[in-house]
Amino acid sequence: MRTSLFTMSAAAGALALTLTACGSDGGSDGSNAALVGEGSGDSCVIDAEVPVGAALSLTGAAASYGESQRNGLELAAKELNAKDGVTYDLTVEDDQTDPKQGISVFEGFVNDGASVIIGPTLSNTAFQAQPIAQEESVPVLAISNTADGITEQGDYIFRDSLTESQVIPQTVTTAIEEYDLEDVVVMYSNDDAFTESGYEVMSSALEDSDTEVTDTLTFSTTDTDFRALLTEAKTSNPDAIFVSGLIEAAIPLVTQARELGIDVPIIGGNGFNNPQLMADAGDAAEGVVVGAAWNSASDNPQNADFLEAYEKEYDSQPDQFAAQAYTGMMLIDTAVRSGCSAERDAIKEGLGSISEVESVLGTISINDDRDAEHEAVVQVVKDGEFTVLK
Amino acid sequence: MQQLLLGLSIGSIYALFAIGFTLVFGVLDRLNLAHPSVFAVSAFIGIELVEVAGLSIWLTLPIVAAVGGVLGVVIERVAFRPLKNRPDAHFAGLISSIALAGMFIALLQWRYGPNTRRFPAESFPTTTYSILGAQVTVLQVAILLISVLLMVALTLLVARSRLGRGMRAIAENPTAAKVLGINVDRVTVTTFAISSALGAVAGALFAMNVNSAQLGMGTAIELKGLAVIIVGGMGSLPGALVGGLLLGLAEVFAVQYVGSSWRDLVAFGLLFLILLVRPQGLFGARKVREV
């Protein structure tokens, strides 16, 4: 019995080794000829399926974002695969909102020969996981990371999501002008890289203005009872409250503020940018101001098609995360087709040279820092919908 | 004044949660770490009842309590009873209850997805009263009343009823209780059921109070619940009540007087301080080791 068990496990081990070996010559050396096609642009034809890996937070604290992103990616992949020439083999893996898990998902993609990796959802995880791909020269497209320094991690790291420092200053300036703000209170969750960096940008934008910050209050990402903080905020009688927090905090925070009789505008960071805010906070969400990288009301043709297709596919409204994910997949397609090659270095070149591409997010370019550039929009909730402020 | 009311209302939910937690611990000497998952499950089920079945809040709460009771029975049967005769039953039960909690949450996510949910807006009167300049909602008053009512009922149950006598006998000495003809298994499972029913009501009330239910809401309150039962004195019901209120008040006053960043530090620091002064907890009896 003992011998046979030993033999079996040895055999299994040998088998596993063989499989790993098979898997790794699929392109980790970046020389899989089948990934190079013929033609260019729309006429580009690549025989092999292009392996694309996406590491998203499908469970854990950021799961609501991850789900939107998966929807956006899968919708885009479906549309792209319906076109001739290039087909994508999209694999979505769960990083569990955990940097450690993010690292192993990235390692898996790198070893399995992914041409390009999308994600991960949170900046926290991105800082830990993306260097894995950089070391192995695998291009990464971040579709939701907004913290500073993401693309500074290496020349293979790109992103299509505007940073906090691109969106928030515009939001702050517009809100100050529009509501004539003199004294404001700032609240943020200080145990998350995304909300903390959002706060820093927010705070420096406020410093540059004539508006005075009378109080700064912190909470934790898991908090749901904000009454004590809001009561404290109320004592300084502010003209507005600026908040850097995730949507999970936004809903109870906004509701409780209105319940305590705080009627001033509440100005949120990117985390507030989710239709769930209106769905769940109801009337309390009226007057909430949110800066966004995606204008859901935009009537450019790409966006109109996207809205319709998304609604048809998932029977719900897309949010910014879905829009950025969808655009990310489309940008990868543009990059692949530009050199008609899905080899890692070709995609890297392609992403770097994206310029003035029409997309769901508007006219988008990738700059020399490998960050996306396109117009942001400041929205305010009115009659249960995001509308453009001003 | 506002902060005082807030502290009492959030503190009463902590207390309700902790009382269920400490009941199992005090009577059966088992730490049931599936308790926090009951907190989350019941909130989601309560929302489902109101949203889909269209039940009123007043009908929903008793049903949620009943569902909690059933979960308590499941927890006892699955996570604790099969292990009860093992020499390491305490530790094994602790771990298997964590495992069961993970399964509950996974089921919850499979059923409801990762998004936060909430009770429909119109399901509860949103009337706000102004008392001495402080805003109080009907809901907050109701939470306070329901919590106190349940705690009094439980205390009476333990002190007066036949079941309560059985519980106290088991807490004293399970073997002797069995010799005296007490059906230990039945009292055990009933204790779990009551404990989880309280946790379930606390979960539903918490979700109403903050207008949000999340998969991780049990984990967020778990540590606070443990802190409350340790400060109150392990297994002491009045201890859990006072401990819960104390923690709620400590949190809100820390925000007001010390600064929001220091809230947890102050609240938990206070708990350490209490334990330094009174290691057995506020209401705990000093355990004497018998040789």
Side-chain angles (χ1 to χ4, degrees):
Chain A
M1 185 65 203
R2 179 165 298 209
T3 340
S4 73
L5 246 181
F6 175 75
T7 325
M8 269 172 65
S9 53
L15 186 65
L17 272 173
T18 327
L19 285 176
T20 326
C22 284
S24 64
D25 67 12
S28 63
D29 51 353
S31 64
N32 187 343
L35 286 172
V36 183
E38 283 177 9
S40 70
D42 284 346
S43 67
C44 165
V45 176
I46 296 176
D47 290 337
E49 286 195 330
V50 179
V52 178
L56 304 176
S57 302
L58 300 175
T59 54
S64 59
Y65 304 109
E67 196 173 65
S68 283
Q69 294 180 311
R70 181 174 58 184
N71 289 349
L73 289 178
E74 285 178 350
L75 179 64
K78 198 176 143 192
E79 289 180 11
L80 289 170
N81 288 346
K83 293 204 310 188
D84 288 337
V86 187
T87 46
Y88 294 92
D89 175 21
L90 173 69
T91 312
V92 179
E93 294 278 352
D94 182 11
D95 70 23
Q96 301 176 338
T97 321
D98 175 7
K100 292 192 293 297
Q101 180 70 13
I103 289 173
S104 47
V105 170
F106 262 62
E107 279 170 346
F109 286 144
V110 168
N111 293 331
D112 291 347
S115 286
V116 54
I117 303 176
I118 295 173
T121 302
L122 292 189
S123 299
N124 264 351
T125 313
F127 281 120
Q128 310 285 325
Q130 285 168 347
I132 308 282
Q134 172 67 33
E135 274 169 31
E136 299 293 328
S137 306
V138 183
V140 177
L141 181 64
I143 51 172
S144 57
N145 305 152
T146 50
D148 282 333
I150 291 286
T151 51
E152 285 165 25
Q153 295 188 94
D155 58 347
Y156 280 83
I157 317 291
F158 298 84
R159 73 171 140 196
D160 78 345
S161 43
L162 290 185
T163 61
E164 294 286 5
S165 50
Q166 287 169 298
V167 178
I168 289 182
Q170 193 178 333
T171 315
V172 171
T173 322
T174 313
I176 289 175
E177 263 174 44
E178 189 70 17
Y179 299 108
D180 204 12
L181 306 176
E182 286 172 7
D183 304 309
V184 300
V185 169
V186 179
M187 295 171 73
Y188 73 105
S189 61
N190 61 351
D191 55 354
D192 173 75
F194 160 69
T195 52
E196 170 113 36
S197 99
Y199 158 74
E200 275 156 15
V201 181
M202 205 174 251
S203 141
S204 77
L206 282 165
E207 249 169 54
D208 294 341
S209 70
D210 295 333
T211 307
E212 194 192 338
V213 177
T214 49
D215 207 351
T216 301
L217 302 165
T218 58
F219 54 92
S220 129
T221 31
T222 54
D223 278 353
T224 42
D225 193 320
F226 300 99
R227 292 189 178 87
L229 293 172
L230 289 164
T231 303
E232 187 60 19
K234 203 181 166 189
T235 53
S236 59
N237 210 4
D239 296 330
I241 299 180
F242 284 79
V243 186
S244 178
L246 298 174
I247 185 70
E248 285 76 13
I251 292 162
L253 191 149
V254 166
T255 330
Q256 290 161 25
R258 301 307 186 217
E259 173 197 306
L260 287 166
I262 300 174
D263 294 324
V264 297
I266 296 176
I267 294 124
N270 204 15
F272 278 47
N273 191 13
N274 188 321
Q276 214 195 335
L277 178 68
M278 289 82 88
D280 282 1
D283 286 347
E286 292 293 304
V288 170
V289 176
V290 185
W294 174 58
N295 180 1
S296 57
S298 157
D299 53 4
N300 81 49
Q302 283 81 7
N303 194 44
D305 291 348
F306 168 65
L307 288 176
E308 198 189 317
Y310 192 96
E311 175 100 45
K312 196 171 150 219
E313 186 82 19
Y314 304 108
D315 204 22
S316 67
Q317 297 288 322
D319 58 12
Q320 178 182 301
F321 292 88
Q324 286 174 330
Y326 179 90
T327 307
M329 199 63 213
M330 294 299 176
L331 291 180
I332 286 173
D333 184 54
T334 310
V336 168
R337 284 175 185 274
S338 72
C340 201
S341 164
E343 289 193 327
R344 290 168 171 175
D345 283 318
I347 293 184
K348 178 197 170 217
E349 289 301 314
L351 284 173
S353 58
I354 281 176
S355 166
E356 312 242 316
V357 172
E358 296 300 329
S359 78
V360 169
L361 304 175
T363 310
I364 191 168
S365 300
I366 302 278
N367 66 20
D368 292 344
D369 297 328
R370 297 173 301 282
D371 273 325
E373 275 180 6
H374 65 84
E375 202 165 316
V377 57
V378 182
Q379 314 173 100
V380 59
V381 179
K382 206 174 159 189
D383 298 329
E385 278 183 7
F386 281 128
T387 51
V388 178
L389 182 68
K390 271 210 305 196
Chain B
M1 185 63 193
Q2 180 83 63
Q3 299 285 27
L4 181 72
L5 287 169
L6 291 176
L8 286 177
S9 123
I10 190 72
S12 65
I13 294 179
Y14 289 160
L16 195 56
F17 175 83
I19 279 178
F21 222 167
T22 205
L23 181 67
V24 166
F25 190 83
V27 174
L28 308 169
D29 207 14
R30 296 280 186 277
L31 197 51
N32 169 22
L33 290 181
H35 194 65
S37 68
V38 171
F39 188 73
V41 171
S42 64
F44 279 79
I45 288 177
I47 291 171
E48 189 82 0
L49 287 171
V50 174
E51 204 170 73
V52 178
L55 297 183
S56 84
I57 292 284
W58 305 116
L59 208 55
T60 302
L61 281 178
I63 299 179
V64 162
V67 171
V70 173
L71 284 175
V73 174
V74 172
I75 293 169
E76 199 270 335
R77 284 288 155 90
V78 175
F80 287 92
R81 190 171 296 190
L83 305 169
K84 73 169 180 175
N85 290 325
R86 287 167 57 125
D88 57 352
H90 294 78
F91 186 64
L94 185 95
I95 299 301
S96 70
S97 67
I98 295 177
L100 192 62
M103 289 159 73
F104 280 155
I105 298 301
L107 282 174
L108 211 55
Q109 174 161 0
W110 164 74
R111 173 76 182 80
Y112 295 103
N115 287 330
T116 60
R117 290 168 64 92
R118 60 167 207 139
F119 283 91
E122 64 281 7
S123 60
F124 207 89
T126 46
T127 326
T128 308
Y129 295 110
S130 193
I131 302 175
L132 301 172
Q135 308 289 323
V136 190
T137 60
V138 181
L139 183 60
Q140 284 168 310
V141 177
I143 287 170
L144 200 64
L145 289 179
I146 293 171
S147 304
V148 171
L149 203 73
L150 286 175
M151 289 181 250
V152 171
L154 180 65
T155 315
L156 286 179
L157 184 84
V158 173
R160 299 280 165 80
S161 73
R162 203 182 134 81
L163 175 68
R165 276 203 299 279
M167 286 177 174
R168 281 179 287 141
I170 292 175
E172 201 64 42
N173 186 332
T175 318
K178 200 166 204 168
V179 171
L180 287 172
I182 291 168
N183 187 336
V184 175
D185 278 347
R186 184 183 297 163
V187 175
T188 301
V189 78
T190 316
T191 309
F192 266 96
I194 295 174
S195 154
S196 292
L198 292 174
V201 174
L205 290 178
F206 186 80
M208 283 182 219
N209 188 39
V210 301
N211 192 30
S212 155
Q214 314 179 353
L215 295 175
M217 61 191 281
T219 327
I221 198 175
E222 183 172 18
L223 185 61
K224 287 171 181 168
L226 283 171
V228 164
I229 70 174
I230 288 167
V231 164
M234 308 248 202
S236 158
L237 300 181
L241 171 65
V242 174
L245 292 176
L246 208 64
L247 181 64
L249 290 171
E251 282 192 358
V252 296
F253 285 112
V255 168
Q256 188 171 5
Y257 294 112
V258 189
S260 52
S261 305
W262 303 99
R263 177 177 47 173
D264 283 355
L265 192 100
V266 171
F268 289 115
L270 192 67
L271 299 187
F272 278 124
L273 205 68
I274 292 172
L275 289 181
L276 278 180
V277 182
R278 223 186 128 73
Q280 70 272 40
L282 292 176
F283 289 77
R286 197 179 284 273
K287 283 220 168 123
V288 184
R289 184 174 289 270
E290 287 165 21
V291 185

